Amino acid sequence: MEIHYITHNVVAMTSPPDEHEINWAECIVAVATAFEDMLHKKFRLYNLSERQYNRSGRFKENILGFSFPDHHAPPLPLLFDCVHSMLEWLESDTANVVVVHCMGGRSRLATVISAYLFEAGLFATTSKALSHFLISTQSNPNSPPGSPSTSSPVLRSVNQPSQLRYLDYFSKSLTSSTPPMNVKVKLGDAIVSFAPHAKLQLEIYSYKDSNHKSPLLNRSDIFSSDEAGQIINPSDQVILHIDREMSGDLLLRIVEKKKPLGHALIHTSFVGNDITFQKSDFDMLSRDRRFSDKFSIRLTLVHLKDDPAMSSHPIGLPS
């Protein structure tokens, strides 16, 4: 485990022992005890991982959970809630400190901390905030800001397209003269072009359903080939009809034999009447050589009339 100071009161921490170890709870108690001794209870530990702590002990008030899946962007409301919680805690007492960690200490950490640095006014853009995060995590672990760099940083910056996309959403939400409102859209078609010759499945979910149990679209035959390897549908383009209304965060996922290959996240408040995803827009898909650079999925959207109940709630502000 390594600790990196991003600022004097924001700390990034690599996750306690990996999932194969059994002393998870004991390690958290040890970490919290160390911060209690150093900071006299003036700390909060923000857990971004999907591992849950036993919060019944003496540190239950110091541990907050804002979990979202690894290699994913956080749902936009969750990102705002987490950042606002950090701001509130740090502004309430100049001696307070936040400690943020996720499994492995990689891009989830960078996404959330960079969003905080931007909203706190420490950097003019989220890109500059990301650069600062990367530089800070190249310093010697467990040392204050400005320590000499090491040759191989443990922590990495944001490297998933959806995480970068959501940092852009976050920035636009705060800098727009009119705060973006939640927008309801009707999904028309999903137009898949130049898919590889494999038995793949396209799933589309409302990201509000964190367990992904209620897909808006779940088709297992759109890219199928028979056992002899002949393409059942030889067309370079397949049109899938969705015809569903939704709002907020939307997840597209490509699956092969129940194994996710790649995914992309968008928020309906920041898209036009259609949106096209290239291979490079999908998280985790860039290394799969079966997908050519011509591969794309285009969603057609229709913006519906404002829903008063939704339009009264600007994104990023309390309801």
Side-chain angles (χ1 to χ4, degrees):
M1 177 169 55
E2 292 186 357
I3 293 172
H4 294 260
Y5 285 82
I6 308 304
T7 69
H8 73 281
N9 58 2
V10 177
V11 178
M13 185 177 75
T14 56
S15 179
D18 66 39
E19 61 185 352
H20 300 294
E21 300 202 25
I22 61 175
N23 61 341
W24 169 257
E26 294 178 3
C27 185
I28 290 303
V29 170
V31 168
T33 300
F35 280 110
E36 182 183 49
D37 293 340
M38 289 187 295
L39 304 171
H40 306 289
K41 294 187 177 180
K42 291 182 178 292
F43 76 95
R44 276 188 177 174
L45 181 62
Y46 285 78
N47 175 25
L48 307 183
S49 77
E50 294 180 280
R51 278 184 165 180
Q52 300 302 309
Y53 302 141
N54 179 358
R55 297 178 57 195
S56 61
R58 73 180 192 270
F59 299 114
K60 62 181 180 180
E61 301 300 327
N62 300 84
I63 297 176
L64 300 179
F66 290 91
S67 64
F68 56 99
D70 197 8
H71 306 299
H72 286 63
L76 202 54
L78 183 146
L79 180 58
F80 272 103
D81 287 347
C82 184
V83 169
H84 290 170
S85 174
M86 294 168 64
L87 283 166
E88 181 180 14
W89 173 251
L90 293 176
E91 291 174 354
S92 66
D93 190 328
T94 56
N96 285 351
V97 171
V98 297
V99 182
V100 191
H101 88 85
C102 66
M103 294 294 294
R106 297 186 179 181
S107 54
R108 282 181 290 187
L109 265 181
T111 303
V112 170
I113 291 179
S114 297
Y116 161 78
L117 295 173
F118 174 74
E119 184 162 2
L122 300 178
F123 293 92
T125 65
T126 53
S127 295
K128 291 181 178 179
L130 273 172
S131 296
H132 174 77
F133 178 90
L134 183 58
I135 292 171
S136 299
T137 56
Q138 289 175 330
S139 64
N140 286 331
N142 313 321
S143 300
S147 300
S149 297
T150 58
S151 58
S152 56
V154 173
L155 302 181
R156 299 177 185 175
S157 190
V158 171
N159 56 11
Q160 301 297 340
S162 291
Q163 292 170 337
L164 293 171
R165 188 179 304 121
Y166 269 61
L167 278 176
D168 183 55
Y169 292 163
F170 187 87
S171 174
K172 288 178 178 177
S173 297
L174 295 177
T175 58
S176 173
S177 58
T178 302
M181 300 289 183
N182 277 310
V183 173
K184 181 182 287 187
V185 301
K186 185 174 184 178
L187 300 178
D189 298 325
I191 304 168
V192 184
S193 301
F194 297 101
H197 299 168
K199 294 183 179 180
L200 304 179
Q201 182 174 356
L202 174 65
E203 301 171 339
I204 301 178
Y205 297 91
S206 170
Y207 201 34
K208 296 175 184 177
D209 177 15
S210 60
N211 294 319
H212 310 319
K213 293 181 178 178
S214 303
L216 302 175
L217 173 69
N218 189 332
R219 291 287 297 273
S220 60
D221 60 345
I222 59 171
F223 307 147
S224 294
S225 59
D226 62 20
E227 293 182 359
Q230 299 298 317
I231 303 304
I232 295 175
N233 187 339
S235 173
D236 287 332
Q237 188 175 87
V238 179
I239 300 177
L240 307 172
H241 301 292
I242 307 171
D243 195 30
R244 294 286 297 272
E245 296 180 6
M246 63 88 61
S247 65
D249 301 286
L250 181 67
L251 169 68
L252 284 77
R253 187 164 65 181
I254 300 171
V255 178
E256 181 179 35
K257 297 179 180 178
K258 299 184 179 181
K259 177 183 178 182
L261 299 180
H263 56 267
L265 290 148
I266 58 169
H267 194 286
T268 60
S269 298
F270 298 91
V271 296
N273 290 331
D274 62 17
I275 181 170
T276 299
F277 297 90
Q278 307 290 342
K279 177 182 178 180
S280 59
D281 296 319
F282 279 87
D283 308 324
M284 310 301 294
L285 200 61
S286 61
R287 297 180 181 178
D288 195 326
R289 296 181 179 179
R290 294 176 299 172
F291 290 83
S292 75
D293 291 337
K294 292 183 178 180
F295 169 76
S296 68
I297 297 178
R298 180 164 67 92
L299 295 181
T300 61
L301 309 169
V302 176
H303 286 243
L304 302 178
K305 292 183 178 180
D306 292 341
D307 182 339
M310 298 175 61
S311 297
S312 63
H313 181 199
I315 296 171
L317 298 179
S319 57

